[in-house]
């Protein structure tokens, strides 16, 4: 008995089977590597977005708007909200509240004109803009210099920065807010 002899056609089918098995194995490994890369990229993206969302919070504003309703909205860049003139603890003006995470704190820093220093007030989560300045007496610095000079008694616009600090008192976030009186309506806007 001699060995098993294969015809050329049989040899070709066996060879094609080995090649197909090798190609399927290669495709399986390529799919596995591709899925691994995609899953790793998605995990990285999730971690990155989580870190960014902690560092960049939104400022939610609860404002008394022109129709008399209290409405909450998230201030987004260049979006304007019209506020209603109200009585505040420091005079007639405009109010909005800032909503920040617990154990965080914030401060308002006046930008631009020196006369704006005396028009923005903050009390807990309330921020007041009082465009009419009713100062009783004069205000002086530590060096006995008069701070309130001959500025107008009425301010029609004000820009200030809200700086938010985290639990460790490091700056977490800041935004620039602009108040502006246009045709006796107060417009508040988050600047870019």
């Amino acid at each position: 008995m001699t060995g098993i002899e294969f015809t050329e056609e049989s040899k070709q089918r066996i060879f094609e089977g080995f090649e197909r098995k090798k190609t399927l194995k290669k495709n399986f490994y390529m799919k596995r590597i591709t899925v691994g890369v995609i899953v790793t990229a998605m995990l990285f993206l999730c971690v990155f977005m989580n870190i960014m969302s902690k560092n960049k919070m939104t400022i939610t504003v609860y404002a008394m708007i022109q129709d008399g309703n209290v409405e909450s909205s998230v201030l987004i860049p260049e979006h304007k909200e019209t506020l209603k003139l109200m009585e505040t603890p420091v005079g007639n003006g405009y109010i909005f509240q800032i909503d920040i995470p617990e154990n965080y704190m914030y401060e308002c820093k006046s930008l631009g004109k020196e006369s704006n220093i005396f028009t923005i007030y903050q009390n807990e989560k309330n921020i007041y803009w009082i465009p009419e300045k009713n100062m009783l007496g004069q205000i002086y610095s530590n060096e006995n210099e008069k701070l309130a000079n001959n500025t107008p008694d009425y301010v029609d616009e004000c820009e200030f920065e809200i700086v938010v600090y985290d639990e460790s008192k490091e700056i977490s976030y800041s935004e620039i807010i602009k108040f502006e009186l246009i045709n006796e309506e107060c417009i508040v806007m988050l600047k870019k």
Side-chain angles (χ1 to χ4, degrees), residues 7-186:
T7 63
E8 284 301 313
E9 185 180 309
S10 298
K11 288 181 187 176
Q12 187 64 31
R13 272 193 323 208
I14 292 171
F15 180 71
E16 286 173 358
F18 283 128
E19 287 296 317
R20 186 173 53 241
K21 189 174 181 179
K22 196 190 283 184
T23 304
L24 288 174
K25 212 175 205 182
K26 184 179 176 184
N27 287 344
F28 175 74
Y29 285 121
M30 289 302 290
K31 286 180 183 176
R32 210 167 157 187
I33 289 171
T34 303
V35 167
V37 167
I38 290 171
V39 167
T40 303
M42 289 177 68
L43 284 173
F44 176 75
L45 185 63
C46 289
V47 169
F48 180 73
M49 293 302 288
N50 190 25
I51 290 169
M52 291 305 291
S53 69
K54 286 183 180 176
N55 288 337
K56 186 140 178 102
M57 294 171 281
T58 57
I59 294 179
T60 305
V61 174
Y62 302 91
M64 179 69 79
I65 56 174
Q66 283 291 350
D67 63 9
N69 292 323
V70 175
E71 182 177 278
S72 73
S73 64
V74 175
L75 275 186
I76 55 176
E78 304 302 322
H79 173 75
K80 297 178 179 180
E81 283 289 340
T82 305
L83 303 182
K84 182 178 180 181
L85 183 65
M86 298 182 64
E87 191 171 318
T88 74
V90 288
N92 288 335
Y94 304 93
I95 304 172
F96 74 86
Q97 294 177 338
I98 181 170
D99 188 15
I100 57 175
E102 194 173 325
N103 298 326
Y104 278 50
M105 59 185 208
Y106 77 98
E107 70 175 333
C108 297
K109 296 180 177 180
S110 180
L111 302 174
K113 301 174 185 173
E114 184 180 313
S115 61
N116 291 342
I117 294 172
F118 305 109
T119 65
I120 294 291
Y121 303 92
Q122 72 183 63
N123 180 16
E124 295 177 7
K125 293 190 175 191
N126 294 322
I127 298 175
Y128 309 109
W129 180 46
I130 312 299
E132 199 172 316
K133 295 187 295 180
N134 295 325
M135 287 187 231
L136 300 173
Q138 300 297 323
I139 299 175
Y140 293 89
S141 70
N142 290 344
E143 291 81 32
N144 209 19
E145 294 175 6
K146 184 177 175 183
L147 291 179
N149 55 15
N150 295 332
T151 57
D153 290 336
Y154 195 78
V155 178
D156 60 356
E157 71 177 44
C158 177
E159 283 186 12
F160 65 98
E161 181 178 27
I162 296 176
V163 182
V164 179
Y165 298 93
D166 61 16
E167 295 99 342
S168 59
K169 295 186 174 39
E170 292 184 21
I171 294 177
S172 174
Y173 186 66
S174 69
E175 287 289 0
I176 296 177
I177 307 289
K178 181 178 183 179
F179 283 115
E180 187 174 19
L181 287 175
I182 301 173
N183 298 328
E184 297 183 22
E185 288 187 335
C186 177

